[in-house]
Amino acid sequence: PNTRTRLMSHPETRTRVMTEKNLKPGWSRVKFGDVVQLTKARCADPLAEGVERYVGLEHLEPGDLRIRSWGNVADGVTFTSVFQPGQVLFGKRRAYQRKVAVADFSGVCSGDIYVLETKDADVLLPELLPFICQTDAFFNHAVGTSAGSLSPRTNWTSLAVFEFALPPIDAQIRLASQFSTADDLLYELELAHLALDAVERSAIKSVLGNEASWRLTTMRAIVVSIDAGKSPKASSLPAEPHELGVLKVSAVGSLGYCPQENKALLNPDDFVQDATVKAGNFLVTRANAQPQGVARTCLVESTPSNLMLSDKTWRLNFDAGAPPKRFILTWTKLPKFRAYIEALCSGTEAKNISQDKFLSAPMVSLDMRQHGDIDRVLDQTDSARKALNARMTVAMSIKSGLLQKVFGEAQL
């Protein structure tokens, strides 16, 4: 057979030709590195040069394009990579965490974060770049090209050869607008979620009355036992429905339980049945990169049955006479409780707290009237929260479905 015949018989060549035939008119297949560049701006002394903020991997939330938190350069930092508003920050370490964000301020960032921008705005619209970086195909490529066991990292050379279908610029403008609308809806729903939490905390504080009158005890008075999980060897990828997995510490998120934050076990025999996560569980983080993430709590509304606790996540078992779990959840987010935790958590690279210190954290005792009033408050806020959660689920499905429809088939 001649050279063309041999090439056409190769599986990769057949797939490529078939994919190109399926492209819409005006679309082209490009390599990531042909239209995107890795910026190499550096700042040897950020503080001296007037840089105020820094961003580490811990400041990027999985699936969230907004940077919600950051550190102050004045507190001390060794980061030198500079980013500017509009540039895309991509976490190259543990890419399976899906950490991508668009900067809306300038600063310096960790060396484990790539700063990306389009080479030519007339070829690739800057506003479309972050959504390309959120596609399953891009993350799968990043994870598949990562090296290292404990802390796998991808590299720019590997990312640059990722291929995807690029629409013409007029279609890019339309698509970027659609993706942004879906993302804005999610953001507004998250703000509504946070506002509801704030209203709930305010209502509960109103029921409790003046802080000086609070009858304080400790968490030990209501916690019967604490179940700690294990951290067996696991893949860098989340478990499929037919696989067994272990929760990552990020599963206890700022907005609640995130079951998709897990890792597939390499050996199914390592799964601990007694550590299986179930609906109704009250989870607490033992450790986190930041003090604010230590003793973060959540209630499990629903969960797949193939996940287990890690050793960085506890399950609290309460006494029969304890207040409602929803109230305990709210209490653990009040300043009285958080101030105690953040003052006593320890560690250098990662912060953590012992069971003994956690059980010594403050807890308020409720009288019968307060019990009744709080039950009524929680009934109202729970109804609103369920409605919000349902809308968030729909909004996330719309965004992921739109990304898959536009970019999914062309990535194969």
Side-chain angles (χ1 to χ4, degrees):
N2 59 35
T3 301
R4 176 174 174 78
T5 302
R6 287 198 303 270
L7 283 174
M8 290 302 295
S9 66
H10 193 280
E12 291 183 4
T13 304
R14 290 202 308 270
T15 301
R16 173 73 178 272
V17 171
M18 191 165 60
T19 302
E20 288 178 345
K21 285 182 178 179
N22 291 337
L23 288 177
K24 297 178 181 179
W27 288 54
S28 58
R29 193 165 181 82
V30 300
K31 290 184 177 180
F32 194 70
D34 290 340
V35 293
V36 177
Q37 62 187 8
L38 175 66
T39 68
K40 297 182 179 180
R42 296 291 183 268
C43 179
D45 191 342
L47 188 61
E49 296 187 33
V51 179
E52 297 180 355
R53 306 181 195 179
Y54 73 85
V55 172
L57 278 176
E58 68 275 12
H59 298 120
L60 304 182
E61 291 289 335
D64 191 346
L65 289 178
R66 290 172 174 79
I67 302 176
R68 313 292 185 109
S69 62
W70 54 82
N72 296 314
V73 170
D75 294 335
V77 67
T78 59
F79 301 159
T80 60
S81 296
V82 176
F83 63 86
Q84 301 294 340
Q87 292 178 327
V88 174
L89 306 187
F90 171 72
K92 67 174 183 177
R93 179 164 66 95
R94 297 183 177 133
Y96 56 81
Q97 293 183 332
R98 293 175 171 255
K99 294 190 173 184
V100 179
V102 181
D104 57 358
F105 57 87
S106 60
V108 290
C109 63
S110 162
D112 283 325
I113 296 175
Y114 278 148
V115 182
L116 308 174
E117 63 183 4
T118 60
K119 285 185 175 180
D120 185 344
D122 291 330
V123 176
L124 172 58
L125 195 71
E127 291 80 3
L128 190 63
L129 175 57
F131 297 107
I132 292 172
C133 292
Q134 278 195 319
T135 60
D136 288 344
F138 183 78
F139 278 118
N140 290 340
H141 179 85
V143 172
T145 57
S146 295
S149 54
L150 295 178
S151 190
R153 291 173 171 82
T154 187
N155 57 71
W156 173 245
T157 302
S158 297
L159 290 180
V161 300
F162 168 70
E163 293 188 6
F164 65 99
L166 181 67
I169 199 68
D170 58 336
Q172 290 183 42
I173 294 172
R174 184 180 69 255
L175 289 170
S177 176
Q178 292 174 349
F179 293 145
S180 295
T181 299
D183 204 60
D184 288 343
L185 174 58
L186 275 171
Y187 181 57
E188 292 300 322
L189 290 172
E190 287 173 7
L191 289 180
H193 207 297
L194 293 173
L196 178 61
D197 288 345
V199 168
E200 184 177 78
R201 288 194 296 270
S202 178
I204 284 178
K205 288 176 73 174
S206 177
V207 171
L208 294 178
N210 191 296
E211 187 172 341
S213 66
W214 292 358
R215 295 179 299 122
L216 293 177
T217 179
T218 65
M219 293 296 291
R220 186 174 278 105
I222 62 170
V223 176
V224 175
S225 63
I226 296 179
D227 299 328
K230 303 287 184 182
S231 288
K233 292 182 179 180
S235 163
S236 60
L237 297 174
E240 297 290 341
H242 64 277
E243 296 178 311
L244 297 174
V246 58
L247 291 186
K248 296 189 292 186
V249 69
S250 52
V252 184
S254 57
L255 290 177
Y257 178 58
C258 307
Q260 66 272 19
E261 290 296 301
N262 72 79
K263 297 181 291 184
L265 298 187
L266 295 180
N267 184 355
D269 291 338
D270 289 335
F271 191 86
V272 180
Q273 290 294 338
D274 289 345
T276 303
V277 185
K278 301 176 181 178
N281 284 173
F282 190 104
L283 305 184
V284 183
T285 57
R286 175 183 64 81
N288 205 289
Q290 295 180 293
Q292 298 93 320
V294 177
R296 179 180 280 174
T297 55
C298 76
L299 260 177
V300 178
E301 302 283 350
S302 62
T303 182
S305 59
N306 61 330
L307 303 177
M308 62 174 277
L309 300 169
S310 77
D311 65 350
K312 293 184 175 63
T313 310
W314 295 332
R315 175 171 53 211
L316 302 189
N317 302 303
F318 297 107
D319 180 81
K325 289 180 181 178
R326 188 78 220 174
F327 168 74
I328 301 172
L329 182 69
T330 302
W331 172 261
T332 60
K333 299 181 187 302
L334 293 180
K336 185 76 173 179
F337 182 88
R338 293 305 314 166
Y340 169 89
I341 294 294
E342 292 175 28
L344 289 186
C345 64
S346 58
T348 51
E349 292 187 6
K351 303 297 182 181
N352 60 80
I353 194 165
S354 67
Q355 287 194 20
D356 185 62
K357 287 181 179 178
F358 176 81
L359 290 173
S360 297
M363 181 64 202
V364 66
S365 294
L366 304 176
D367 58 33
M368 292 300 294
R369 180 192 62 78
Q370 290 172 327
H371 259 292
D373 290 345
I374 283 173
D375 283 343
R376 283 186 285 274
V377 168
L378 296 181
D379 283 344
Q380 294 173 345
T381 54
D382 276 350
S383 296
R385 188 172 285 105
K386 287 177 182 177
L388 270 178
N389 288 341
R391 292 189 65 187
M392 287 187 73
T393 299
V394 171
M396 286 188 287
S397 297
I398 290 173
K399 181 182 174 182
S400 61
L402 188 57
L403 281 170
Q404 179 65 20
K405 180 179 180 181
V406 173
F407 293 111
E409 292 181 1
Q411 312 298 340
L412 298 178

